[in-house]
Amino acid sequence: MTNDFVVHYNRTGGSGQVHLCTGEISKVNEKDDIEKSGTGNAMLKVCAFIVDKRNLFFLIFILLAVFSAVSRNWVSVENSLSFYLPETTETKQGIDLMEEEFTTYGACTIMIANVSFDQGQEIADRIEEEPGVFSVDYDETDEYYANGSARLKVTFDYDESDDACLEVLERVKDLVSGYHSYVQTTLGNITSELLNEEMSVISILVVFVVLGVLLLTTGAYMEIPVLLITFGAGAVLQMGSNFLLGTISFVSDSVTIVLQLALSVDYAVIFLNRYKEEHQTLPPREAIIEALSKAIPEISGSSLTTIGGLIAMTFMQYRIGPDLGIVLIKAILLSLMSVFLLMPGVIMLFADSMEKTNHRNFIPEIPFAGKFAYATKYVIPPLFIAVIILAYFLSNDCPYVFGKSKITAPLENRVQLTDRLIGENFGTENMVAVIIPTGDYEKEGLLVRDLEDCLEVDHVQSLTNIEAMNGYALADRLTPRQFSELIDMDYEIAELIYTAYAVNDEDYARAINGLSEYGVPLIDMFMFLYEEVEAGYVTLEPDTKETLDDAYRQMNFAKQQLKGENYSRMLVYLDLPQESGETFAFIDKIHDMAHKYYDGTVLVCGETVSVYDLQKTFARDNTVVNIMSILVVLIVLLFTFKSAGMPVLLIVVIQGCIWINFSFPALMHDNIFFLSYLIVSSIQMGANIDYAIVIAGRYTENRGKMGRKDAIIDSLNFALPTILTSGTMLAMAAFLIGKLTSDESIYGIGQCLSRGTVLSIFITMFVLPQILVLGDTIIAKTAFVMNMPLRTQRASGLVRLDGVVRGQVNGTMIGVVHGIVRGEVDVHVQAGQMVEMEEPDMGLPELTAKHLEDDKDFEVLKEESGKGADRKDA
């Protein structure tokens, strides 16, 4: 809100009346001395300190930038979406339990194209001999050889979290590098690295977009480096400060810098425009101080709506929302810090250069838009209401998906290429892990058979059905006779070992009544025998010992993966797509089947279950994000406009834009990743509403001194440069993200945010004006005033009026926004203070007359005064 005076002025008498204004009355000892005119004004003192100590702030920012260049490497990036699921979800509980109970060994799948089966076997044998490789699965079935391509499943000797896996993986890649090979693995951060490469390209392109927009929207060529230095400082500090959060998601790591630039560009532009306005009458230093004192509250208020939308994301149950929300809020705060602390000094450095490189304004005025808005004020609002009602119902049918299998990004990276080629030749696998209480192989075997009988299941891996030796499965119970024959051991020795096992297992009854029918699971007996041999209690023949060692290695490897201290897990391979209603129904069926045998905890984990859990959390998060974003922004707007009607109108417009935005996927049957909706709706509500605020704020201000038609024409002319600058940058940045990424979730964010921003620009320029004009009465009647204590101040001589005051003015006035009075002042000061000025050397009466003759606002005020108007609002 700008500070305007409404003065009823009698030119011959030199007296007038000042109504309902806000600000200060100052009597200053030296003309144009900002610091002395602001004696007692804390804001001006702070701003003067920032400008005068600019070299100190330069040094601080340089040191922080150097530190950030180092600390950005300390940031840990999480690539799994399931990591951010709520603790209460089945997937999260299952992941945590599996980390405690089981070992998941590193592995990779290699497809080698254009080879014979025998060539594939030779390669498999060479890989299996590589140190650190536990096994290579390869046979003549279609699962491993098809269409002239061999598929090798390689398992390493190390846990997947062990860095040794990466070393072995690199050696394996070297072995197959001479073939047309494709390596598929979850080891390492290859996906994150590829995404960072893409974002680096996008960031460079966004810089060119920003340069192009600034060339058209700035008033001088050298304003561009001022803005770029400010943007760059905020971006560098943002990247370097992420280490404070420990681990951030790959989404936050990749899109924050681009969105930070697009979301915070307004702040620097507002400050720069303020400076140019003040510099028309003040030298650079004083103009910067004055501009900064006015820009800080204005920019802070503007940023609150954006931060408010992002705060809504932090209430999401799916924790990737809080992750991205916190990172973006931090980015905006750092951008504000760059604008308030660094940019004033940068402007001082480039002040002379900016004056020398002025160019004409490339953005034309658009009076036709305001005239159109006024002429269609009774037509457009009803149509818009009808459209957003339709859009609301359409957006509710938006085809949201919760996994990435049904979305195709515009680009395909080498990881996705490998997945696609292996899938085309050998099919895709959809595996879930079923976690059950351990200790009862019989129940586990029954559950395995039940699952294998289901048409939806391809096969199941469990200790109860994995073949060990001579047709026996790992969990089959063997008597002493069977065990002795299996490993070629004397029967008497086998009886002694079984007796020791029975005693150790506290199964005394079997030991006393005879062991001939006593059966022990094969894997348990091998584990026990190996421990006894290692402890020196049992001595075996060399051949038997070798057999035992080899069997123990294989069995222990299986046990580590499938049997824990308290739980066992089985791997169920489904003949179902990763995401479908049928798949989700079968997950529920698995629970029902398992609970027939187990009363305790039963968990099902896997990508399909993760997708199912995401679907369950979406309804709650959707409601929370919508309500919180509207509520927070509503509160900010309520205190910004001091009207109950205005915030409601603005929120209806932007929420309508959101519904229209997500009606497009419904109409085009284009799948949208659910996360895209949650993130984009928050950003669109928080950031795009700034466009509406620019127009609404100017219109409210104009209505104090002109009619509705002129007010809306001037408002659109005033708002166009700001909206074009900010909106174009955000729309283009989001468009590039959507077109130049291979990640399906980020693709959706870019696509929806770009479309939403364009819709918001169009609707705020060509629909909101009609709503403001038509709702003018509602806005006025719902306005409220926050009364402030009145202070009466008097002064005479040369007095500066600055802001909102109420009282009598007798004398000659200079200015409309800021007034200088020669005469007597007797007013109530609602804000600010009154400072007396010394008489200047210049001829004040001559200047006053010339100023008033040339001032267009004076002509308006004179006309109103002649009509006897008694304006009571500003």
Side-chain angles (χ1 to χ4, degrees):
M1 176 179 176
T2 61
N3 297 325
D4 289 336
F5 287 106
V6 177
V7 181
H8 296 162
Y9 184 81
N10 186 316
R11 188 173 181 184
T12 58
S15 64
Q17 177 85 30
V18 180
H19 293 279
L20 295 177
C21 306
T22 307
E24 62 182 52
I25 300 179
S26 305
K27 183 172 181 178
V28 185
N29 294 324
E30 295 182 32
K31 182 176 72 71
D32 290 340
D33 191 326
I34 294 294
E35 287 180 281
K36 293 186 178 180
S37 70
T39 303
N41 190 319
M43 179 64 77
L44 286 176
K45 288 182 177 180
V46 171
C47 296
F49 176 83
I50 293 172
V51 175
D52 293 338
K53 302 299 181 182
R54 55 188 176 277
N55 290 332
L56 172 63
F57 288 105
F58 288 160
L59 177 61
I60 292 174
F61 272 86
I62 290 172
L63 293 176
L64 289 175
V66 173
F67 177 79
S68 296
V70 177
S71 63
R72 64 174 299 184
N73 298 317
W74 304 343
V75 181
S76 177
V77 178
E78 176 58 53
N79 294 308
S80 173
L81 290 174
S82 60
F83 175 83
Y84 293 95
L85 282 166
E87 298 292 337
T88 56
T89 59
E90 185 173 25
T91 298
K92 187 63 176 174
Q93 292 177 10
I95 291 174
D96 293 342
L97 192 148
M98 287 192 294
E99 288 179 354
E100 296 174 5
E101 293 277 327
F102 311 109
T103 299
T104 301
Y105 289 94
C108 68
T109 297
I110 304 173
M111 188 185 85
I112 305 173
N114 303 319
V115 294
S116 65
F117 173 81
D118 291 338
Q119 287 176 306
Q121 186 63 62
E122 292 175 4
I123 297 170
D125 293 341
R126 289 205 302 271
I127 293 175
E128 197 162 19
E129 294 172 359
E130 187 69 27
V133 174
F134 177 81
S135 64
V136 179
D137 294 337
Y138 180 68
D139 59 37
E140 298 184 23
T141 63
D142 291 342
E143 182 181 355
Y144 293 99
Y145 188 81
N147 303 321
S149 298
R151 179 167 74 163
L152 317 178
K153 293 185 177 181
V154 183
T155 305
F156 302 135
D157 267 328
Y158 311 101
D159 187 289
E160 64 179 359
S161 60
D162 194 327
D163 290 340
C165 281
L166 298 176
E167 298 175 6
V168 180
L169 177 64
E170 290 303 316
R171 294 201 301 270
V172 170
K173 287 181 179 179
D174 290 339
L175 286 175
V176 299
S177 60
Y179 302 90
H180 292 96
S181 58
Y182 304 89
V183 180
Q184 183 184 57
T185 184
T186 58
L187 299 173
N189 294 319
I190 184 64
T191 301
S192 178
E193 292 170 4
L194 293 174
L195 197 55
N196 284 333
E197 292 175 6
E198 294 171 359
M199 286 301 157
S200 297
V201 174
I202 292 173
S203 298
I204 293 172
L205 293 176
V206 168
V207 170
F208 283 106
V209 169
V210 170
L211 286 173
V213 173
L214 292 179
L215 280 172
L216 294 175
T217 57
T218 54
Y221 294 114
M222 291 307 292
E223 292 177 11
I224 296 176
V226 173
L227 296 173
L228 290 181
I229 290 172
T230 305
F231 297 154
V236 171
L237 296 185
Q238 156 60 22
M239 290 186 291
S241 61
N242 280 333
F243 81 95
L244 297 172
L245 303 175
T247 300
I248 62 174
S249 69
F250 71 95
V251 177
S252 301
D253 184 57
S254 56
V255 304
T256 298
I257 296 302
V258 178
L259 292 180
Q260 178 187 10
L261 171 62
L263 290 174
S264 61
V265 65
D266 282 355
Y267 313 144
V269 171
I270 289 172
F271 179 35
L272 187 60
N273 288 339
R274 277 288 185 184
Y275 163 73
K276 290 189 292 185
E277 179 183 338
E278 298 295 335
H279 188 42
Q280 292 176 3
T281 57
L282 295 172
R285 175 182 174 275
E286 286 73 16
I288 295 172
I289 295 172
E290 189 72 20
L292 185 58
S293 69
K294 296 175 181 177
I296 287 176
E298 182 179 356
I299 293 171
S300 299
S302 175
S303 67
L304 284 177
T305 55
T306 303
I307 292 175
L310 298 175
I311 287 175
M313 293 171 56
T314 65
F315 287 87
M316 285 173 54
Q317 193 176 22
Y318 184 38
R319 292 183 296 118
I320 205 167
D323 179 86
L324 182 58
I326 291 171
V327 172
L328 282 175
I329 290 172
K330 176 169 64 69
I332 289 175
L333 294 177
L334 289 171
S335 295
L336 290 175
M337 188 175 76
S338 296
V339 171
F340 294 155
L341 301 180
L342 177 65
M343 191 174 176
V346 177
I347 292 177
M348 280 292 294
L349 288 180
F350 287 87
D352 292 338
S353 301
M354 287 192 289
E355 291 185 20
K356 295 175 182 178
T357 58
N358 284 327
H359 59 74
R360 69 181 181 86
N361 187 4
F362 295 112
I363 299 180
E365 292 189 345
I366 52 170
F368 67 88
K371 294 176 182 177
F372 172 78
Y374 188 78
T376 58
K377 60 181 177 295
Y378 297 113
V379 178
I380 297 299
L383 288 177
F384 179 68
I385 295 298
V387 168
I388 64 174
I389 291 174
L390 177 62
Y392 168 76
F393 290 104
L394 285 174
S395 63
N396 285 338
D397 292 328
C398 189
Y400 299 113
V401 294
F402 303 88
K404 298 182 178 181
S405 60
K406 293 186 176 182
I407 303 175
T408 302
L411 300 183
E412 184 180 57
N413 60 41
R414 60 178 180 269
V415 173
Q416 293 166 332
L417 174 64
T418 297
D419 293 343
R420 179 172 61 81
L421 291 177
I422 292 177
E424 289 175 353
N425 284 278
F426 299 98
T428 57
E429 292 182 342
N430 184 13
M431 183 269 289
V432 297
V434 181
I435 302 171
I436 53 178
T438 194
D440 194 327
Y441 290 124
E442 184 176 352
K443 289 182 179 179
E444 186 173 339
L446 292 173
L447 178 58
V448 168
R449 283 192 286 275
D450 287 350
L451 289 169
E452 289 181 330
D453 288 340
C454 294
L455 298 177
E456 297 89 346
V457 175
D458 181 76
H459 65 282
V460 180
Q461 284 187 355
S462 163
L463 288 179
T464 63
N465 68 350
I466 294 178
E467 184 175 341
M469 302 170 64
N470 294 355
Y472 290 114
L474 287 174
D476 286 350
R477 289 183 173 274
L478 273 65
T479 63
R481 176 71 65 185
Q482 292 171 320
F483 184 76
S484 65
E485 293 174 352
L486 178 65
I487 64 171
D488 195 21
M489 173 187 288
D490 287 343
Y491 176 70
E492 289 78 8
I493 296 176
E495 279 191 323
L496 290 174
I497 294 172
Y498 266 66
T499 301
Y501 180 90
V503 172
N504 187 69
D505 198 39
E506 299 183 358
D507 200 350
Y508 305 113
R510 292 294 183 96
I512 295 173
N513 297 327
L515 297 172
S516 60
E517 301 300 323
Y518 181 34
V520 177
L522 176 60
I523 186 172
D524 292 348
M525 182 51 66
F526 265 100
M527 297 295 105
F528 177 75
L529 177 59
Y530 183 83
E531 291 171 0
E532 295 295 298
V533 171
E534 291 297 305
Y537 299 129
V538 177
T539 302
L540 299 178
E541 296 293 330
D543 290 344
T544 305
K545 178 66 165 57
E546 183 178 351
T547 301
L548 176 65
D549 289 343
D550 184 62
Y552 174 82
R553 180 171 179 265
Q554 299 287 338
M555 293 180 187
N556 186 62
F557 189 82
K559 182 180 178 182
Q560 292 293 323
Q561 296 182 85
L562 299 176
K563 184 178 180 182
E565 183 177 353
N566 302 298
Y567 293 91
S568 294
R569 69 175 169 182
M570 58 183 68
L571 308 180
V572 182
Y573 293 83
L574 305 178
D575 276 332
L576 293 170
Q578 186 184 88
E579 180 178 0
S580 71
E582 183 184 4
T583 306
F584 297 154
F586 188 70
I587 296 300
D588 293 333
K589 184 178 178 180
I590 291 177
H591 282 95
D592 294 338
M593 295 169 67
H595 282 299
K596 287 195 308 182
Y597 304 105
Y598 299 98
D599 296 328
T601 300
V602 174
L603 298 172
V604 183
C605 304
E607 285 298 320
T608 285
V609 184
S610 176
V611 170
Y612 193 18
D613 285 336
L614 289 174
Q615 185 191 56
K616 294 175 183 177
T617 64
F618 175 67
R620 184 261 186 195
D621 283 346
N622 185 23
T623 302
V624 168
V625 166
N626 285 334
I627 292 176
M628 288 304 302
S629 60
I630 290 174
L631 184 61
V632 174
V633 172
L634 181 64
I635 293 172
V636 173
L637 294 179
L638 195 63
F639 286 96
T640 300
F641 289 99
K642 298 180 178 61
S643 167
M646 180 68 83
V648 173
L649 293 179
L650 299 187
I651 287 177
V652 166
V653 169
I654 298 302
Q655 185 62 54
C657 292
I658 295 172
W659 289 333
I660 295 172
N661 184 15
F662 288 94
S663 297
F664 281 82
L667 292 171
M668 297 184 294
H669 304 288
D670 185 15
N671 291 334
I672 291 293
F673 193 56
F674 80 104
L675 188 62
S676 303
Y677 172 78
L678 294 174
I679 292 175
V680 171
S681 60
S682 297
I683 294 177
Q684 194 173 348
M685 175 58 73
N688 290 175
I689 203 168
D690 280 350
Y691 312 152
I693 291 173
V694 173
I695 297 176
R698 185 70 171 191
Y699 177 78
T700 303
E701 175 187 331
N702 286 342
R703 284 294 289 127
K705 54 189 176 183
M706 61 183 72
R708 290 186 295 173
K709 183 176 181 180
D710 292 335
I712 202 63
I713 291 174
D714 178 78
S715 298
L716 292 181
N717 286 332
F718 170 80
L720 181 62
T722 301
I723 293 177
L724 278 184
T725 302
S726 176
T728 303
M729 288 184 186
L730 180 57
M732 289 301 299
F735 176 80
L736 291 172
I737 290 174
K739 287 296 182 183
L740 299 177
T741 184
S742 58
D743 185 88
E744 296 85 353
S745 57
I746 294 176
Y747 154 67
I749 294 172
Q751 180 191 44
C752 295
L753 184 57
S754 175
R755 182 176 59 235
T757 302
V758 172
L759 284 168
S760 296
I761 293 173
F762 178 82
I763 290 174
T764 52
M765 290 298 295
F766 299 103
V767 176
L768 176 63
Q770 288 88 331
I771 293 176
L772 291 175
V773 172
L774 190 62
D776 188 86
T777 303
I778 297 175
I779 296 170
K781 287 186 178 297
T782 58
F784 59 89
V785 177
M786 299 179 66
N787 294 322
M788 302 295 291
L790 297 178
R791 292 177 294 159
T792 301
Q793 296 190 20
R794 296 180 175 85
S796 61
L798 191 62
V799 182
R800 187 187 73 184
L801 295 179
D802 186 4
V804 174
V805 299
R806 179 200 302 268
Q808 296 291 329
V809 176
N810 296 316
T812 303
M813 289 199 67
I814 298 176
V816 175
V817 176
H818 311 295
I820 298 176
V821 179
R822 177 191 288 275
E824 297 179 358
V825 178
D826 183 3
V827 297
H828 293 293
V829 179
Q830 292 178 251
Q833 58 184 327
M834 179 172 68
V835 180
E836 297 187 39
M837 303 172 64
E838 291 185 352
E839 293 285 345
D841 295 333
M842 56 184 284
L844 182 60
E846 290 76 16
L847 175 66
T848 301
K850 182 179 185 303
H851 177 84
L852 294 177
E853 288 290 347
D854 294 341
D855 197 297
K856 295 180 180 179
D857 292 303
F858 171 73
E859 295 298 328
V860 175
L861 298 173
K862 183 176 69 173
E863 180 182 352
E864 291 185 356
S865 178
K867 295 177 181 178
D870 184 17
R871 297 302 300 265
K872 294 182 179 179
D873 58 338

XYZ file of all heavy atoms in Angstrom, residues 114-160:
383
model
N 22.698 -60.116 -28.289
C 23.398 -60.653 -29.469
C 24.488 -61.646 -29.094
O 25.626 -61.576 -29.576
C 24.000 -59.514 -30.301
C 22.953 -58.504 -30.734
O 21.846 -58.860 -31.123
N 23.305 -57.228 -30.641
N 24.153 -62.586 -28.205
C 25.082 -63.655 -27.850
C 24.333 -64.975 -27.882
O 23.101 -65.018 -27.760
C 25.710 -63.446 -26.459
C 26.601 -62.220 -26.429
C 24.631 -63.363 -25.382
N 25.079 -66.060 -28.048
C 24.478 -67.385 -27.972
C 24.354 -67.802 -26.511
O 24.931 -67.146 -25.629
C 25.352 -68.397 -28.725
O 26.606 -68.521 -28.066
N 23.631 -68.894 -26.267
C 23.499 -69.351 -24.891
C 24.859 -69.737 -24.318
O 25.169 -69.423 -23.161
C 22.552 -70.553 -24.811
C 22.511 -71.174 -23.444
C 21.716 -70.610 -22.450
C 23.279 -72.291 -23.140
C 21.691 -71.160 -21.172
C 23.255 -72.845 -21.870
C 22.453 -72.278 -20.881
N 25.680 -70.423 -25.124
C 26.999 -70.856 -24.642
C 27.892 -69.657 -24.320
O 28.656 -69.698 -23.349
C 27.671 -71.739 -25.695
C 26.965 -73.078 -25.846
O 26.267 -73.477 -24.888
O 27.071 -73.700 -26.919
N 27.804 -68.617 -25.139
C 28.578 -67.412 -24.830
C 28.114 -66.807 -23.497
O 28.934 -66.355 -22.696
C 28.433 -66.382 -25.944
C 29.178 -66.736 -27.222
C 28.914 -65.707 -28.328
O 27.744 -65.431 -28.649
N 29.985 -65.185 -28.900
N 26.810 -66.830 -23.295
C 26.279 -66.335 -22.027
C 26.801 -67.154 -20.857
O 27.113 -66.611 -19.792
N 26.904 -68.485 -21.061
C 27.394 -69.347 -19.989
C 28.863 -69.057 -19.675
O 29.281 -69.039 -18.509
C 27.232 -70.815 -20.400
C 27.584 -71.808 -19.296
C 26.671 -71.682 -18.095
O 25.469 -71.887 -18.202
N 27.239 -71.328 -16.936
N 29.654 -68.823 -20.716
C 31.062 -68.481 -20.497
C 31.203 -67.189 -19.702
O 32.041 -67.078 -18.795
C 31.768 -68.348 -21.847
C 31.903 -69.652 -22.611
C 32.508 -69.445 -23.989
O 32.898 -68.277 -24.296
O 32.583 -70.410 -24.755
N 30.389 -66.206 -20.041
C 30.447 -64.929 -19.325
C 30.020 -65.131 -17.874
O 30.635 -64.583 -16.952
C 29.548 -63.888 -20.018
C 30.056 -63.609 -21.428
C 29.486 -62.597 -19.206
C 29.112 -62.778 -22.277
N 28.968 -65.934 -17.666
C 28.494 -66.197 -16.310
C 29.582 -66.869 -15.476
O 29.772 -66.536 -14.293
C 27.238 -67.065 -16.351
N 30.312 -67.838 -16.081
C 31.377 -68.527 -15.354
C 32.496 -67.562 -14.970
O 33.041 -67.638 -13.848
C 31.945 -69.667 -16.209
C 30.929 -70.786 -16.421
O 29.959 -70.855 -15.630
O 31.086 -71.560 -17.390
N 32.846 -66.646 -15.863
C 33.915 -65.691 -15.561
C 33.490 -64.743 -14.441
O 34.280 -64.416 -13.566
C 34.293 -64.898 -16.809
C 35.023 -65.710 -17.855
C 35.888 -64.815 -18.742
N 35.108 -63.771 -19.408
C 34.522 -63.926 -20.599
N 34.624 -65.086 -21.235
N 33.845 -62.936 -21.150
N 32.252 -64.331 -14.485
C 31.767 -63.429 -13.439
C 31.749 -64.136 -12.082
O 32.118 -63.557 -11.058
C 30.357 -62.902 -13.794
C 30.423 -61.984 -15.017
C 29.747 -62.149 -12.611
C 29.066 -61.509 -15.511
N 31.337 -65.418 -12.080
C 31.231 -66.142 -10.821
C 32.591 -66.342 -10.168
O 32.692 -66.497 -8.953
C 30.557 -67.496 -11.057
C 30.045 -68.146 -9.784
C 29.020 -69.232 -10.049
O 28.975 -69.736 -11.196
O 28.249 -69.553 -9.134
N 33.653 -66.347 -10.961
C 35.005 -66.498 -10.426
C 35.558 -65.191 -9.849
O 36.585 -65.192 -9.171
C 35.956 -67.002 -11.522
C 35.646 -68.418 -11.995
C 36.470 -68.819 -13.208
O 37.269 -67.958 -13.670
O 36.330 -69.961 -13.677
N 34.856 -64.100 -10.116
C 35.330 -62.793 -9.649
C 35.215 -62.720 -8.128
O 34.180 -63.068 -7.549
C 34.493 -61.676 -10.295
C 34.993 -60.278 -10.034
C 36.314 -59.998 -10.736
O 36.599 -60.625 -11.781
O 37.046 -59.122 -10.248
N 36.276 -62.289 -7.417
C 36.205 -62.149 -5.951
C 35.069 -61.205 -5.548
O 34.885 -60.139 -6.138
C 37.567 -61.544 -5.586
C 38.472 -61.929 -6.712
C 37.616 -61.938 -7.941
N 34.325 -61.610 -4.531
C 33.213 -60.797 -4.075
C 31.881 -61.188 -4.682
O 30.831 -60.691 -4.246
N 31.877 -62.064 -5.682
C 30.639 -62.548 -6.290
C 30.245 -63.862 -5.625
O 31.027 -64.809 -5.612
C 30.791 -62.735 -7.808
C 29.541 -63.373 -8.396
C 31.079 -61.402 -8.487
N 29.043 -63.913 -5.069
C 28.601 -65.136 -4.411
C 28.080 -66.149 -5.425
O 28.419 -67.324 -5.373
C 27.500 -64.806 -3.402
C 26.940 -66.018 -2.722
C 27.609 -66.581 -1.650
C 25.759 -66.625 -3.154
C 27.114 -67.718 -1.025
C 25.263 -67.750 -2.533
C 25.937 -68.302 -1.462
N 27.210 -65.692 -6.339
C 26.638 -66.633 -7.300
C 26.155 -65.883 -8.535
O 25.930 -64.669 -8.503
C 25.466 -67.404 -6.676
O 24.411 -66.508 -6.355
N 25.997 -66.647 -9.625
C 25.422 -66.125 -10.859
C 24.350 -67.117 -11.302
O 24.651 -68.287 -11.555
C 26.474 -65.951 -11.966
C 25.800 -65.434 -13.235
C 27.581 -65.005 -11.517
N 23.122 -66.682 -11.390
C 22.021 -67.538 -11.839
C 21.877 -67.401 -13.352
O 21.707 -66.299 -13.891
C 20.710 -67.125 -11.166
C 20.743 -67.362 -9.661
O 21.541 -68.210 -9.212
O 19.987 -66.676 -8.931
N 21.935 -68.556 -14.027
C 21.809 -68.564 -15.494
C 21.524 -69.988 -15.938
O 22.219 -70.933 -15.545
C 23.099 -68.048 -16.134
C 23.058 -68.013 -17.648
C 22.226 -67.115 -18.316
C 23.865 -68.858 -18.400
C 22.199 -67.075 -19.700
C 23.847 -68.830 -19.791
C 23.009 -67.935 -20.432
O 22.981 -67.902 -21.808
N 20.478 -70.182 -16.745
C 20.181 -71.501 -17.287
C 19.490 -71.339 -18.636
O 19.379 -70.230 -19.169
C 19.339 -72.338 -16.301
C 18.020 -71.664 -15.956
O 17.412 -71.026 -16.852
O 17.580 -71.749 -14.785
N 19.005 -72.462 -19.168
C 18.458 -72.457 -20.523
C 16.985 -72.063 -20.596
O 16.400 -72.081 -21.675
C 18.637 -73.852 -21.148
C 20.099 -74.267 -21.295
C 20.245 -75.602 -22.006
O 19.313 -75.982 -22.747
O 21.266 -76.272 -21.822
N 16.371 -71.755 -19.498
C 14.959 -71.391 -19.525
C 14.768 -70.001 -20.122
O 15.706 -69.201 -20.239
C 14.365 -71.411 -18.103
O 15.040 -70.420 -17.307
C 14.553 -72.786 -17.461
N 13.496 -69.707 -20.490
C 13.181 -68.392 -21.060
C 13.428 -67.251 -20.072
O 13.523 -66.091 -20.469
C 11.710 -68.356 -21.508
C 11.468 -69.260 -22.701
O 12.458 -69.617 -23.371
O 10.289 -69.605 -22.951
N 13.507 -67.609 -18.804
C 13.757 -66.564 -17.806
C 15.164 -66.000 -17.935
O 15.411 -64.857 -17.541
C 13.549 -67.151 -16.395
C 13.738 -66.132 -15.279
C 13.555 -66.742 -13.897
O 13.193 -67.939 -13.817
O 13.789 -66.025 -12.911
N 16.089 -66.794 -18.521
C 17.481 -66.369 -18.571
C 18.041 -66.228 -19.991
O 19.069 -65.561 -20.178
C 18.361 -67.360 -17.781
C 18.069 -67.340 -16.299
C 17.252 -68.314 -15.714
C 18.599 -66.348 -15.488
C 16.975 -68.296 -14.356
C 18.331 -66.322 -14.125
C 17.513 -67.293 -13.559
O 17.244 -67.267 -12.215
N 17.398 -66.854 -20.972
C 17.881 -66.690 -22.344
C 16.680 -66.595 -23.285
O 15.843 -67.502 -23.354
C 18.779 -67.851 -22.777
C 19.434 -67.592 -24.118
C 20.567 -66.812 -24.211
C 18.870 -68.088 -25.300
C 21.154 -66.542 -25.444
C 19.437 -67.827 -26.531
C 20.584 -67.043 -26.598
O 21.158 -66.757 -27.812
N 16.609 -65.462 -24.002
C 15.487 -65.248 -24.925
C 15.873 -64.189 -25.947
O 16.624 -63.250 -25.642
C 14.237 -64.807 -24.163
N 15.388 -64.357 -27.176
C 15.572 -63.359 -28.241
C 17.036 -63.013 -28.485
O 17.397 -61.867 -28.765
C 14.813 -62.066 -27.915
C 13.327 -62.299 -27.690
O 12.703 -63.104 -28.389
N 12.766 -61.625 -26.701
N 17.887 -64.027 -28.365
C 19.301 -63.796 -28.622
C 19.997 -63.004 -27.538
O 21.097 -62.481 -27.758
N 19.382 -62.927 -26.375
C 19.967 -62.175 -25.262
C 20.028 -63.056 -24.025
O 19.137 -63.874 -23.774
C 19.142 -60.923 -24.943
O 19.128 -60.044 -26.049
N 21.097 -62.894 -23.256
C 21.268 -63.642 -22.016
C 21.037 -62.719 -20.830
O 21.445 -61.554 -20.841
C 22.676 -64.225 -21.946
N 20.353 -63.238 -19.825
C 20.149 -62.465 -18.589
C 20.828 -63.206 -17.443
O 20.505 -64.359 -17.158
C 18.666 -62.270 -18.284
C 18.467 -61.495 -16.987
C 17.049 -60.999 -16.798
N 16.136 -62.067 -16.435
C 14.918 -61.842 -15.901
N 14.512 -60.602 -15.685
N 14.133 -62.848 -15.619
N 21.740 -62.505 -16.776
C 22.479 -63.083 -15.655
C 22.073 -62.366 -14.377
O 22.088 -61.131 -14.321
C 23.988 -62.932 -15.858
C 24.546 -63.236 -17.265
C 26.044 -62.976 -17.304
C 24.239 -64.673 -17.657
N 21.714 -63.132 -13.358
C 21.392 -62.560 -12.056
C 22.587 -62.785 -11.127
O 22.878 -63.918 -10.745
C 20.134 -63.195 -11.468
C 18.869 -62.859 -12.255
C 17.632 -63.404 -11.564
C 16.366 -63.021 -12.307
N 15.136 -63.528 -11.635
N 23.262 -61.700 -10.801
C 24.513 -61.768 -10.038
C 24.242 -61.317 -8.607
O 23.647 -60.256 -8.381
C 25.586 -60.864 -10.671
C 26.904 -60.992 -9.912
C 25.767 -61.200 -12.146
N 24.696 -62.140 -7.655
C 24.560 -61.806 -6.241
C 25.949 -61.674 -5.635
O 26.827 -62.510 -5.871
C 23.774 -62.889 -5.484
O 22.521 -63.094 -6.128
C 23.529 -62.473 -4.045
N 26.134 -60.631 -4.848
C 27.439 -60.359 -4.253
C 27.537 -60.923 -2.849
O 26.537 -61.293 -2.229
C 27.707 -58.847 -4.232
C 27.647 -58.214 -5.594
C 26.977 -57.021 -5.789
C 28.246 -58.812 -6.687
C 26.921 -56.426 -7.032
C 28.192 -58.241 -7.941
C 27.529 -57.039 -8.117
N 28.756 -60.944 -2.325
C 29.021 -61.487 -1.000
C 28.724 -60.502 0.126
O 28.861 -60.862 1.297
C 30.502 -61.891 -0.880
C 30.711 -63.347 -1.245
O 29.798 -64.148 -0.996
O 31.779 -63.676 -1.782
N 28.340 -59.295 -0.209
C 28.239 -58.240 0.792
C 26.819 -57.686 0.881
O 26.058 -57.714 -0.088
C 29.206 -57.092 0.466
C 30.606 -57.554 0.161
C 31.050 -57.650 -1.162
C 31.477 -57.915 1.179
C 32.338 -58.079 -1.454
C 32.769 -58.347 0.892
C 33.194 -58.433 -0.426
O 34.459 -58.858 -0.711
N 26.526 -57.173 2.064
C 25.258 -56.470 2.256
C 25.179 -55.312 1.264
O 26.192 -54.677 0.949
C 25.181 -55.952 3.696
C 23.824 -55.354 4.019
O 23.511 -54.264 3.490
O 23.077 -55.964 4.804
N 23.966 -55.012 0.787
C 23.812 -53.981 -0.231
C 24.245 -52.598 0.245
O 24.530 -51.713 -0.566
C 22.372 -53.923 -0.728
C 21.358 -53.522 0.327
C 19.945 -53.449 -0.225
O 19.767 -53.692 -1.429
O 19.029 -53.148 0.565
